[in-house]
Each structure stands twice: as C-alpha cells, then as structure tokens.
Amino acid sequence: MRRASIAAVFAVLAVSCAGPRPATPPAASITAPPAWRTDLGPGQAVDPAWWSAFGDPVLTRLVAMALAANPDIALGAERVAEARAQERLARAQLRLDLEAGAGVFRERTVDAFGHPFSDTAATPLMQASWDLDLFHRLSEADAAARAQILSAQGARDAMALAIASSTASGYITLRALDARLATARATLVARTEGLRIARRRAETGYTSNLELRQAEAEYQATAQLVPQAQLAVSRQEDALSALVGAPPGAIPRGLSLEELAAPPVPDGLPSDLLRRRPDLYEAEQALVAADHSLDSARAAFMPQLQLTGSAGLALSTALASPVTIWTIGGSILAPIFNGGRLAAQADIAASRRDQAAFVYRRAALAAFRDVEDSLAGVQRSGEQATALIGQRDALAGALSNATKRYRAGYSSYLDQLDAQRGLLTAELALIQARADRLTAYSTLYQSMGGGWTTPAAAATSR
C-alpha cells in the first residue's frame, strides 16, 4: 500500500513536469471520399495473382521470377529481419539481467606478528538486476519496436506489389515496342514498293524527279524508325532483365499486344483502400510506433525502480571452509533537474509522431489519386483506342484509293504520300493507346492493393 502511494506521488509530480500528452494535429486527419469519380461499373474481388488475368503465361512467369529474385524485395526482407532483431533488443530490456563472474588471485603478505604467508583466493559470483518498469517506459519502447516490424513488413509487401506491377507494365511496353517495330518494318516494305514504282516512272519520263525524291525521302524517314524501335526494344529488355534479377539479355515473348486480355476491374470503395494497400499499412504502423515512442519518452519523467542482487562464495587457502557472500537491494532514481534534456526528448518524440501522421495523410491522398488516375486511364485510353481503330480503318481505305488513283495517273504522288503518313501515325497511336490501357489496368491493380492482406501481428513472447 505504501509502495503504491509513493509511486502515485511520483507519478503526479512527473506528469506535472511532462504536461498533457500532445494531440495529433487536426490537419493530419484524412477522410476517404464517398465514391470514385470514374465509374467503370461493378468490379470483382482481386486475385493476389492478378497479373495472370492478362492471359499470357510468359508474363506470369516473368512476374514470378521478379518476385523471387528482385534485389529490392530481398532488401525489404532484410529490413524486416532487422526490425525483428530491434524488437528482441527492446524486449530484452524488460527481462531479468543475470551475469556470472569469478575472480582468482594469489598474494603474499605478513601477519600481525611479522610472519610472511601466501594466500590463494577465488570469488565466484552471480549478479542479477531487474528494472521494474513501473511506468511502462521500456514496455512502450518494446511496443514501438513491434509496430516497426509491421511497418517494415508493409514496406516489403509494397515493394513486392510495385515490382509485380512494374514487371507487368514493362512486359506490356515491350510488346508495344515489338508492335511498333513490326509496323515500321511493314511500312518500310510498302515504302520500298512505292520507291520502286516512283523510280520506274521517273526513268520512263512519266513523272518528274520530284516524285522520286519525295519517295526516297519518305523511304528514309520510315527506315530510321526501324533502328529506333530496335534500340527501344533492347533497352526495355534490359530493364525487364533488371526487374527479374537477371543480367541484361533477351526476354521471351508470349501473346502479342492485341492478344493480351484486359483484366476485370477490381472492386472496392475509397474507404476500403485504407486497409488494402501495404504502403498505407506501412505508414499507419510507423505512426503507431511513433505514438509508443512518445509514450516511452514521456515515461522517462517518471521514477525508475531497479532491484539488484548478487550471491557467491569466498574461497581462500586461509579459510577452513568457503564463506557464502550475498547482497540484495534496490534503487530508485527520479529526475529532478536535467537542464531540459527529458523535455527536449519528449518534444522530439512528439514532433516525430506528428510527422508520421502527416506522412500517413500524404500517403492516403496519393493512394486516392493513384486509383482515380488509373480508373480514368482505363476508361479514356479505351475510348481513344476505339476512335483510333476507326481512324486507322478510314486511312487504310484512303490509302488504297490514293494508290489506285496514283497508279492510274488520276492523282499526284502527294495524295498517296499524305495517306501513307496518316496511316502510319494512326497505327502507331493505336499501339500506344492499347498499351496505355493495359498499363492502366496494371497500375489500377497496384493502386487498389493487388489483393494484399494485413500480415499477422509479430509473434513475440512476453
């Protein structure tokens, strides 16, 4: 009863020094919007292996390779291991500290009668100490370390989700570049035939050299597209190789860009997003850890009570038998004046907690934006692709008509040239729109959490 009264007095005095616990700034709060701005209709539950919905086994294998061998994911796993070790260190402060030691010495001296004698002595000893942690300074630090484990797990999972999405998007980009290269080569074949006809007409005097020079210029303009696309393909293959944790090299191909399927739209409201994204979980647990660190810093104002004890033997040739020795005691240390050190440490912890709150708000706002951008990307790039298909078909018909009229002598080469340029531009734009739409699906799944679930709480024995 007396111990509890003393502790209560110390607690009141310490709290009066520490002041009330500062609240989180109201500006750091976040409220989810009621619905998404872009409505794509009813969605489906997200499969954790969502990339398989593109229907390309090669893409699925590449993502599996990236998840297994990407160094950034391995780095995230090591950071989780480090956080676990930090938690074990914090938990160890709560437990009994037991040490063993022994001292051995030999001395030669004289007794009171001036007779010399030698003595060999030894003192094996066991020492124990335990901080009672009455005001939870150490237990709050342990709780902060446990929250850091969960935050590190969220960071690792966020990295894995980003790598999977980047691999899927990179593969889509590669297939789009392949399509651009194929289009450039096919167009170059058509330009070669046009150049042959223009040269023959110029040699026979049917047309002037102007048409021949125009055909040559258009041929060269198309020819330069081929090495440009080849360079882009090589660089994209190297980027994908790095993602899957391999040296630069060729990447296998599966379905063409046109054959890749559009995955179903994932379901979920904005309020659901706060529990479905690993990066938000990371920020949330970092905020929890900062809260516990603040509580630990405030508890430093409280008295610290520690029990100590030791037991051992005194062994000596001067003694007929060993002598048991022991000590037991306790100490209490309460801060009175420390030049403002404890107050400064508490203020630092409070500022870090507020920073963590603002980081969480920033991450949540970015998450809402990611989803909105991806939903709009899926919708608008799909609409653009539909319009480009109509434009491409119309230009293909115009080119066919212009070619027939040119060969029959009813129109100039410029009509055919304009139709060729328009068709090439439309085909390249259609390829990009298709790639943008599929990439938007990939980023949409990433922004919606990719089927991620909250990891189990860190297993710690008390």
Side-chain angles (χ1 to χ4, degrees):
M1 185 70 178
R2 181 180 179 185
R3 175 182 170 186
S5 301
I6 295 175
V9 171
F10 274 119
V12 171
L13 293 175
V15 169
S16 64
C17 296
R21 177 180 178 181
T24 304
S29 61
I30 184 70
T31 301
W36 302 116
R37 294 177 58 195
T38 303
D39 185 9
L40 297 182
Q44 296 184 15
V46 181
D47 184 353
W50 53 265
W51 49 86
S52 61
F54 287 105
D56 192 337
V58 174
L59 171 58
T60 301
R61 288 197 298 271
L62 287 174
V63 173
M65 292 171 60
L67 293 178
N70 186 275
D72 288 332
I73 298 177
L75 179 60
E78 289 302 321
R79 286 173 176 164
V80 173
E82 178 187 0
R84 291 186 183 279
Q86 292 285 357
E87 193 276 331
R88 292 197 302 271
L89 177 62
R91 187 172 4 121
Q93 305 300 316
L94 291 164
R95 295 177 175 173
L96 178 70
D97 188 11
L98 186 63
E99 297 178 343
V104 179
F105 63 91
R106 179 174 176 79
E107 65 177 353
R108 180 177 175 83
T109 185
V110 295
D111 59 18
F113 302 100
H115 301 144
F117 71 94
S118 297
D119 180 31
T120 300
T123 55
L125 191 67
M126 294 286 290
Q127 294 181 341
S129 62
W130 181 33
D131 192 324
L132 295 184
D133 195 31
L134 292 179
F135 301 102
H136 309 294
R137 175 179 59 88
L138 298 178
S139 60
E140 289 293 345
D142 180 38
R146 293 200 306 275
Q148 286 292 354
I149 294 177
L150 299 179
S151 179
Q153 289 176 338
R156 176 202 59 196
D157 294 344
M159 178 57 66
L161 179 58
I163 292 300
S165 179
S166 296
T167 304
S169 299
Y171 181 80
I172 292 169
T173 300
L174 178 61
R175 298 308 282 140
L177 292 173
D178 290 338
R180 291 179 67 90
L181 178 58
T183 299
R185 285 172 171 168
T187 305
L188 186 60
V189 171
R191 298 291 191 276
T192 302
E193 177 63 16
L195 178 60
R196 185 188 65 81
I197 294 174
R199 181 176 289 113
R200 186 183 63 186
R201 290 164 66 93
E203 289 173 351
T204 58
Y206 190 76
T207 60
S208 67
N209 285 333
L210 175 60
E211 289 188 359
L212 175 60
R213 298 309 178 196
Q214 290 173 331
E216 289 176 345
E218 193 64 20
Y219 172 84
Q220 296 299 334
T222 305
Q224 64 87 24
L225 294 177
V226 174
Q228 182 185 33
Q230 289 174 327
L231 175 60
V233 167
S234 297
R235 287 176 172 173
Q236 189 61 25
E237 285 184 320
D238 293 344
L240 272 174
S241 297
L243 280 174
V244 300
I251 297 295
R253 267 56 161 193
L255 301 180
S256 66
L257 182 67
E258 293 185 5
E259 294 172 330
L260 289 173
V265 176
D267 66 352
L269 296 173
S271 56
D272 300 330
L273 194 66
L274 300 178
R275 290 291 178 267
R276 292 173 58 172
R277 281 184 51 136
D279 58 334
L280 293 183
Y281 184 77
E282 172 194 0
E284 179 188 41
Q285 291 304 314
L287 176 57
V288 172
D291 268 329
H292 286 300
S293 295
L294 174 58
D295 291 339
S296 178
R298 288 171 52 79
F301 287 95
M302 309 297 185
Q304 299 179 27
L305 180 61
Q306 189 173 57
L307 300 179
T308 59
S310 64
L313 294 174
L315 306 175
S316 174
T317 56
L319 298 174
S321 60
V323 177
T324 301
I325 57 176
W326 57 268
T327 61
I328 187 170
S331 63
I332 185 168
L333 181 65
I336 297 177
F337 177 77
N338 49 58
R341 176 175 58 85
L342 295 181
Q345 290 175 343
D347 290 343
I348 291 172
S351 178
R352 288 176 177 173
R353 190 277 312 273
D354 293 346
Q355 292 175 45
F358 282 111
V359 167
Y360 178 78
R361 172 179 169 81
R362 181 181 63 185
L365 291 175
F368 295 141
R369 177 186 173 181
D370 289 344
V371 176
E372 292 287 5
D373 289 350
S374 299
L375 288 170
V378 169
Q379 183 182 50
R380 303 310 176 191
S381 57
E383 294 172 351
Q384 182 185 14
T386 300
L388 285 169
I389 291 174
Q391 182 188 20
R392 180 201 60 184
D393 294 342
L395 288 171
L399 176 59
S400 177
N401 293 335
T403 301
K404 292 177 182 178
R405 290 176 58 84
Y406 169 65
R407 292 180 178 179
Y410 293 117
S411 63
S412 68
Y413 180 67
L414 286 178
D415 293 339
Q416 183 187 26
L417 186 60
D418 287 341
Q420 287 176 337
R421 290 172 177 171
L423 179 59
L424 176 60
T425 301
E427 287 178 337
L428 295 180
L430 177 58
I431 290 171
Q432 188 61 51
R434 284 172 170 166
D436 289 345
R437 181 168 182 260
L438 292 174
T439 300
Y441 273 106
S442 177
T443 56
L444 176 60
Y445 272 87
Q446 178 187 0
S447 62
M448 293 290 282
W452 177 84
T453 55
T454 304
T460 55
S461 57
R462 289 302 220 157

